[in-house]
Amino acid sequence: MYQDLVTFIRERYNEPHKFITLHEAKFIGNELKYMEECIATGMVSSVGKFVDRFEDEIKKYTGAKYAVATVNGTSALHMALLLAGVGKNDLVITQALTFVATCNAISYTGATPVFVDVSLNNLGMDYLSLENYLKKNVVLKNGLSTHIITGQKIAACVPMHSYGHPAEIIKIVELCTAYGIPVIEDAAESLGSTYHGQHTGTFGKLGIYSFNGNKTITSGGGGMIVTNDEELAVLGKHLTTQAKSGHRWEFNHDQVGYNYRLPNINAALGCAQLENIEVIIAKQRELNKIYQQFFNQHNIAFVNEPSEARSNCWMNAFYVDNKIERDKCLTFLNDHGIMARPAWTMLNKLAMYNTCHCENLQNSQMVEDTLITIPSTVVL
Ligand SMILES: Cc1ncc(COP(=O)(O)O)c(C=O)c1O
């Protein structure tokens, strides 16, 4: 079967010899034009019209009321956590199986992550695992949730929409709301995915997207915070731009700010990419269906879009039987010039996070042992 898969992918990309990577950017619109405009006007850095425009276009596209552009998705997450009030010694619930940036951003605030399991239906945070954790470990008093034993505040919950597939975000938000816990959606991988018709990233108190080069659309590097809360959006813009207070020439800064502003030239690239996002998503979804057929024909489990959602189908993945088979398959595919990777290493196993509290993580372990991601760049 592995040789069949190599042949299938090579034919699909019409690439008999080249190493085929997992996800490459496609430039099919106004990218050069907008970037040339930045260079011609000298507006390549912190000043220029494209940052505002990119924020406006993201608002229009996702339906969020406010958007704040940042240098990358990790800084967007860090800022979103700070805006939600996360601080030193707090606990923040996230899933064990996510990219390390989710967890690192929690650490930057001085808080400690807590790991719950992922759902096998969508690979995002498992609602039941979250509920179990809260029921067993958390006491709610005067609208504030704290850990029964340590007394630490449960300051936020960060579900992630894995590989673009929406998690059960309505149930997660409802549950967290009942416990007085703000939800920050890590929608880094799921721009354009919807759950019951609403864009991922717009369900929680705050949400974030990434425009890294491997995502559905890219700004070279970049991120975005979205929220419906005006006060948080204004504060977010202020803090991400060195907390400078409004004077034409004085260096007045009213608190410790961050240099998290997205440069204009990156925003220009992002604006051009966003103009074609639906074309790219249609092609990602088409590729997902083509892979689905291939794996169905070979009787191999494939990661499908959850039934109640529209996924942007950013990354395709399938399952093998066990870890030994996974490593055999990864070796074969990479040796034959097809990039393939496992799921992330569970974050509770990394040295920095191996003392964090964990729920039962059996689904995460199964996915870590058996999932393989395969080339998902669209053919245009
Ligand atoms: C789930 C997740 N969270 C956060 C990030 C961080 O985004 P960035 O690379 O733009 O900092 C990424 C991707 O890179 C991601 O996949």
Side-chain angles (χ1 to χ4, degrees):
M1 162 351 236
Y2 301 154
Q3 183 54 55
D4 284 358
L5 183 57
V6 170
T7 308
F8 180 77
I9 292 174
R10 289 215 168 278
E11 278 174 8
R12 184 76 217 136
Y13 284 98
N14 201 12
E15 282 293 355
H17 306 298
K18 207 183 97 177
F19 188 78
I20 300 174
T21 58
L22 278 189
H23 212 296
E24 287 174 21
K26 290 285 173 189
F27 304 110
I28 55 169
N30 288 317
E31 286 86 352
L32 258 185
K33 184 176 159 204
Y34 294 170
M35 291 177 78
E36 269 171 7
E37 188 181 324
C38 294
I39 292 166
T41 56
M43 301 289 190
V44 294
S45 190
S46 51
V47 182
K49 69 177 188 191
F50 282 108
V51 174
D52 287 348
R53 183 161 149 189
F54 194 28
E55 291 172 345
D56 286 343
E57 294 301 325
I58 284 289
K59 283 191 275 181
K60 263 191 239 160
Y61 180 65
T62 61
K65 280 199 184 142
Y66 305 97
V68 178
T70 58
V71 278
N72 51 47
T74 311
S75 58
L77 256 178
H78 179 205
M79 184 52 58
L81 288 156
L82 293 176
L83 292 170
V86 177
K88 211 164 173 215
N89 295 326
D90 290 341
L91 294 176
V92 174
I93 304 171
T94 191
Q95 57 208 53
L97 216 54
T98 172
F99 183 53
V100 70
T102 314
C103 217
N104 287 344
I106 294 169
S107 296
Y108 301 160
T109 67
T112 305
V114 168
F115 298 113
V116 298
D117 210 358
V118 294
S119 152
L120 292 181
N121 184 39
N122 53 55
L123 302 180
M125 182 177 282
D126 183 38
Y127 164 79
L128 289 175
S129 177
L130 173 65
E131 191 178 42
N132 270 343
Y133 179 81
L134 293 172
K135 275 187 179 161
K136 281 190 300 193
N137 298 288
V138 169
V139 59
L140 176 66
K141 220 176 172 181
N142 303 327
L144 194 74
S145 278
T146 52
H147 191 275
I148 289 173
I149 295 169
T150 66
Q152 287 166 288
K153 181 171 96 173
I154 315 293
C157 174
V158 187
M160 197 279 275
H161 303 285
S162 301
Y163 303 131
H165 304 311
E168 281 187 283
I169 192 64
I170 293 177
K171 278 186 177 173
I172 291 170
V173 170
E174 274 174 9
L175 180 61
C176 287
T177 305
Y179 276 85
I181 300 169
V183 171
I184 296 161
E185 284 176 82
D186 183 345
E189 302 179 354
S190 65
L191 179 64
S193 299
T194 59
Y195 187 76
H196 290 278
Q198 185 178 333
H199 276 262
T200 56
T202 65
F203 288 85
K205 196 178 181 74
L206 298 127
I208 73 97
Y209 304 113
S210 162
F211 305 106
N212 184 29
N214 66 348
K215 296 297 186 291
T216 296
I217 63 163
T218 185
S219 57
M224 191 77 71
I225 305 166
V226 287
T227 181
N228 288 335
D229 186 321
E230 185 178 5
E231 220 174 289
L232 293 185
V234 171
L235 183 59
K237 190 70 181 174
H238 185 59
L239 289 175
T240 52
T241 52
Q242 301 283 29
K244 183 174 176 295
S245 46
H247 189 281
R248 281 166 63 201
W249 56 78
E250 296 286 355
F251 288 95
N252 291 338
H253 304 269
D254 53 28
Q255 53 185 305
V256 177
Y258 298 81
N259 183 14
Y260 281 178
R261 183 202 297 267
L262 181 70
N264 196 48
I265 194 160
N266 295 89
L269 185 55
C271 285
Q273 287 263 288
L274 191 54
E275 289 169 358
N276 285 309
I277 190 167
E278 284 301 318
V279 176
I280 294 169
I281 289 179
K283 287 287 178 186
Q284 285 183 174
R285 291 177 56 77
E286 189 182 302
L287 179 59
N288 177 267
K289 291 287 165 286
I290 290 166
Y291 270 132
Q292 188 185 33
Q293 259 177 13
F294 173 89
F295 287 106
N296 284 351
Q297 275 162 13
H298 287 76
N299 250 330
I300 290 167
F302 178 66
V303 177
N304 289 311
E305 161 180 67
S307 56
E308 66 282 20
R310 178 189 97 138
S311 172
N312 67 7
C313 295
W314 168 65
M315 186 63 73
N316 293 290
F318 68 99
Y319 294 105
V320 291
D321 289 343
N322 52 50
K323 196 169 178 195
I324 294 170
E325 200 53 39
R326 181 198 82 170
D327 292 342
K328 245 203 251 173
C329 179
L330 287 170
T331 307
F332 188 92
L333 293 178
N334 283 286
D335 282 354
H336 287 76
I338 305 293
M339 187 166 185
R341 298 184 80 181
W344 307 278
T345 299
M346 289 162 69
L347 296 181
N348 57 302
K349 296 182 183 175
L350 301 183
M352 335 58 111
Y353 301 122
N354 64 11
T355 57
C356 296
H357 300 178
C358 297
E359 244 314 296
N360 179 332
L361 300 176
Q362 63 182 22
N363 293 345
S364 304
Q365 185 63 63
M366 195 284 266
V367 175
E368 188 198 86
D369 286 348
T370 60
L371 182 138
I372 293 179
T373 57
I374 44 178
S376 301
T377 307
V378 293
V379 183
L380 289 166

Coordinates of all heavy atoms in Angstrom, one line a residue, residues 341-374:
R341 N 4.6 13.1 8.3 CA 5.0 13.3 9.7 C 4.0 12.7 10.6 O 2.8 12.5 10.2 CB 5.1 14.8 10.0 CG 6.2 15.5 9.2 CD 6.3 17.0 9.6 NE 7.1 17.1 10.8 CZ 7.4 18.3 11.3 NH1 6.9 19.4 10.8 NH2 8.1 18.4 12.4
P342 N 4.4 12.4 11.9 CA 3.4 11.9 12.8 C 2.6 13.1 13.4 O 2.9 14.2 13.0 CB 4.3 11.3 13.9 CG 5.6 12.1 13.9 CD 5.8 12.5 12.4
A343 N 1.7 12.8 14.2 CA 1.0 13.9 15.0 C 2.1 14.4 15.9 O 3.2 13.9 16.1 CB -0.1 13.3 15.8
W344 N 1.8 15.5 16.6 CA 2.7 16.1 17.5 C 3.0 15.1 18.7 O 2.2 14.3 19.0 CB 2.2 17.4 18.1 CG 1.7 18.4 17.1 CD1 2.4 19.3 16.4 CD2 0.3 18.5 16.7 NE1 1.6 20.0 15.5 CE2 0.3 19.5 15.7 CE3 -0.9 17.9 17.0 CZ2 -0.8 20.0 15.0 CZ3 -2.0 18.3 16.3 CH2 -2.0 19.3 15.3
T345 N 4.2 15.3 19.2 CA 4.5 14.5 20.5 C 3.6 15.1 21.6 O 3.5 16.3 21.7 CB 6.0 14.7 20.9 OG1 6.8 14.2 19.8 CG2 6.3 14.0 22.2
M346 N 2.9 14.3 22.3 CA 2.0 14.8 23.4 C 2.8 15.8 24.3 O 3.9 15.5 24.7 CB 1.5 13.6 24.2 CG 0.5 12.8 23.4 SD 0.2 11.2 24.1 CE -0.7 11.6 25.6
L347 N 2.2 16.9 24.5 CA 3.0 18.0 25.2 C 3.3 17.6 26.6 O 4.3 18.1 27.2 CB 2.2 19.3 25.1 CG 2.0 19.8 23.7 CD1 1.2 21.1 23.7 CD2 3.3 20.0 23.0
N348 N 2.5 16.8 27.2 CA 2.8 16.4 28.6 C 4.1 15.5 28.7 O 4.6 15.2 29.8 CB 1.6 15.6 29.2 CG 1.2 14.4 28.4 OD1 0.9 14.5 27.2 ND2 1.3 13.2 29.0
K349 N 4.6 15.1 27.5 CA 5.8 14.3 27.5 C 7.1 15.1 27.3 O 8.2 14.6 27.5 CB 5.8 13.2 26.4 CG 4.7 12.2 26.6 CD 4.7 11.2 25.4 CE 3.6 10.2 25.6 NZ 3.5 9.3 24.4
L350 N 6.9 16.4 27.0 CA 8.1 17.3 26.7 C 8.6 17.7 28.1 O 7.9 17.9 29.1 CB 7.7 18.5 25.9 CG 7.1 18.2 24.5 CD1 6.8 19.6 23.8 CD2 8.0 17.4 23.7
A351 N 10.0 17.9 28.2 CA 10.6 18.1 29.4 C 10.0 19.3 30.2 O 9.9 19.3 31.4 CB 12.1 18.4 29.2
M352 N 9.6 20.4 29.5 CA 9.1 21.6 30.1 C 7.7 21.3 30.7 O 7.3 22.1 31.6 CB 9.0 22.8 29.2 CG 9.8 23.0 28.0 SD 9.7 21.7 26.8 CE 8.8 22.5 25.5
Y353 N 7.0 20.3 30.2 CA 5.6 20.2 30.6 C 5.3 18.9 31.3 O 4.1 18.5 31.5 CB 4.7 20.4 29.4 CG 4.9 21.8 28.7 CD1 5.3 21.9 27.4 CD2 4.7 22.9 29.5 CE1 5.5 23.2 26.9 CE2 4.9 24.2 28.9 CZ 5.3 24.3 27.6 OH 5.5 25.5 27.1
N354 N 6.3 18.1 31.6 CA 6.0 16.7 32.1 C 5.6 16.6 33.5 O 5.4 15.5 34.0 CB 7.1 15.7 31.7 CG 8.4 16.1 32.4 OD1 8.4 16.9 33.4 ND2 9.5 15.4 32.1
T355 N 5.5 17.8 34.2 CA 4.9 17.7 35.6 C 3.5 18.3 35.6 O 3.0 18.5 36.7 CB 5.9 18.4 36.6 OG1 6.0 19.8 36.1 CG2 7.2 17.8 36.7
C356 N 3.0 18.7 34.5 CA 1.7 19.4 34.5 C 0.6 18.3 34.8 O 0.7 17.2 34.5 CB 1.4 20.0 33.1 SG 2.6 21.3 32.7
H357 N -0.6 18.9 35.3 CA -1.7 18.0 35.5 C -2.3 17.5 34.2 O -2.3 18.2 33.2 CB -2.9 18.8 36.2 CG -2.6 19.4 37.5 ND1 -3.4 20.1 38.2 CD2 -1.4 19.3 38.3 CE1 -2.9 20.5 39.3 NE2 -1.7 20.1 39.4
C358 N -2.7 16.2 34.2 CA -3.3 15.6 33.0 C -4.6 14.8 33.3 O -4.6 14.2 34.4 CB -2.3 14.6 32.4 SG -0.8 15.2 31.9
E359 N -5.5 14.9 32.4 CA -6.7 14.0 32.4 C -6.2 12.7 31.8 O -5.1 12.6 31.3 CB -7.8 14.6 31.6 CG -9.1 15.0 32.3 CD -9.6 13.9 33.2 OE1 -9.9 12.8 32.8 OE2 -9.7 14.2 34.5
N360 N -7.1 11.7 31.8 CA -6.8 10.5 31.0 C -6.6 10.9 29.5 O -7.4 11.6 28.9 CB -8.0 9.5 31.1 CG -7.8 8.3 30.3 OD1 -7.1 8.2 29.4 ND2 -8.5 7.2 30.8
L361 N -5.5 10.5 28.9 CA -5.1 10.9 27.6 C -5.0 9.8 26.6 O -4.2 9.8 25.7 CB -3.8 11.7 27.6 CG -3.7 12.9 28.6 CD1 -2.3 13.5 28.6 CD2 -4.7 14.0 28.1
Q362 N -6.0 8.8 26.7 CA -5.8 7.6 25.8 C -6.0 7.9 24.4 O -5.4 7.3 23.5 CB -6.8 6.5 26.3 CG -8.3 6.9 26.2 CD -9.1 5.7 26.7 OE1 -8.7 4.9 27.5 NE2 -10.4 5.7 26.3
N363 N -6.9 8.8 24.0 CA -7.1 9.2 22.6 C -5.9 9.8 22.0 O -5.4 9.5 20.9 CB -8.3 10.1 22.4 CG -9.6 9.5 22.7 OD1 -9.7 8.2 22.8 ND2 -10.7 10.3 22.9
S364 N -5.3 10.8 22.8 CA -4.1 11.5 22.4 C -3.0 10.5 22.1 O -2.3 10.6 21.1 CB -3.6 12.5 23.4 OG -4.7 13.4 23.7
Q365 N -2.9 9.5 23.0 CA -1.8 8.5 22.9 C -2.0 7.7 21.6 O -1.1 7.4 20.8 CB -1.8 7.6 24.1 CG -0.7 6.6 24.1 CD 0.7 7.2 24.1 OE1 1.0 7.9 25.1 NE2 1.5 7.1 23.1
M366 N -3.3 7.3 21.4 CA -3.6 6.5 20.2 C -3.2 7.3 18.9 O -2.6 6.8 18.0 CB -5.1 6.1 20.2 CG -5.5 5.0 19.2 SD -5.6 5.6 17.5 CE -7.3 6.0 17.4
V367 N -3.6 8.6 18.9 CA -3.3 9.4 17.7 C -1.8 9.6 17.6 O -1.3 9.5 16.4 CB -4.1 10.8 17.8 CG1 -3.7 11.7 16.7 CG2 -5.6 10.5 17.9
E368 N -1.1 9.9 18.7 CA 0.3 10.0 18.6 C 1.0 8.8 18.0 O 1.9 8.9 17.2 CB 0.9 10.3 20.0 CG 2.4 10.7 19.9 CD 3.1 10.5 21.3 OE1 3.5 9.4 21.6 OE2 3.2 11.5 22.0
D369 N 0.5 7.6 18.4 CA 1.1 6.4 17.9 C 0.7 6.0 16.5 O 1.5 5.2 15.8 CB 0.6 5.2 18.8 CG 1.2 5.2 20.1 OD1 2.2 6.0 20.3 OD2 0.7 4.5 21.0
T370 N -0.4 6.5 15.9 CA -0.9 5.9 14.7 C -1.2 6.9 13.5 O -1.5 6.4 12.4 CB -2.1 5.0 14.9 OG1 -3.2 5.9 15.5 CG2 -1.9 3.9 15.9
L371 N -1.2 8.2 13.8 CA -1.6 9.1 12.8 C -0.4 9.5 11.9 O 0.7 9.7 12.4 CB -2.2 10.3 13.4 CG -2.7 11.4 12.4 CD1 -4.1 11.9 12.8 CD2 -1.8 12.6 12.3
I372 N -0.6 9.7 10.6 CA 0.4 10.2 9.7 C -0.2 11.3 8.8 O -1.2 11.1 8.2 CB 0.9 9.0 8.8 CG1 1.7 8.0 9.7 CG2 1.8 9.5 7.7 CD1 2.2 6.8 9.0
T373 N 0.5 12.4 8.8 CA 0.1 13.5 7.9 C 0.8 13.4 6.6 O 2.0 13.0 6.5 CB 0.3 14.9 8.5 OG1 1.7 15.1 8.8 CG2 -0.5 15.1 9.8
I374 N 0.1 13.8 5.5 CA 0.7 13.7 4.1 C 0.6 14.9 3.3 O -0.2 15.8 3.7 CB 0.0 12.5 3.4 CG1 -1.5 12.6 3.6 CG2 0.6 11.2 3.8 CD1 -2.3 11.5 2.9

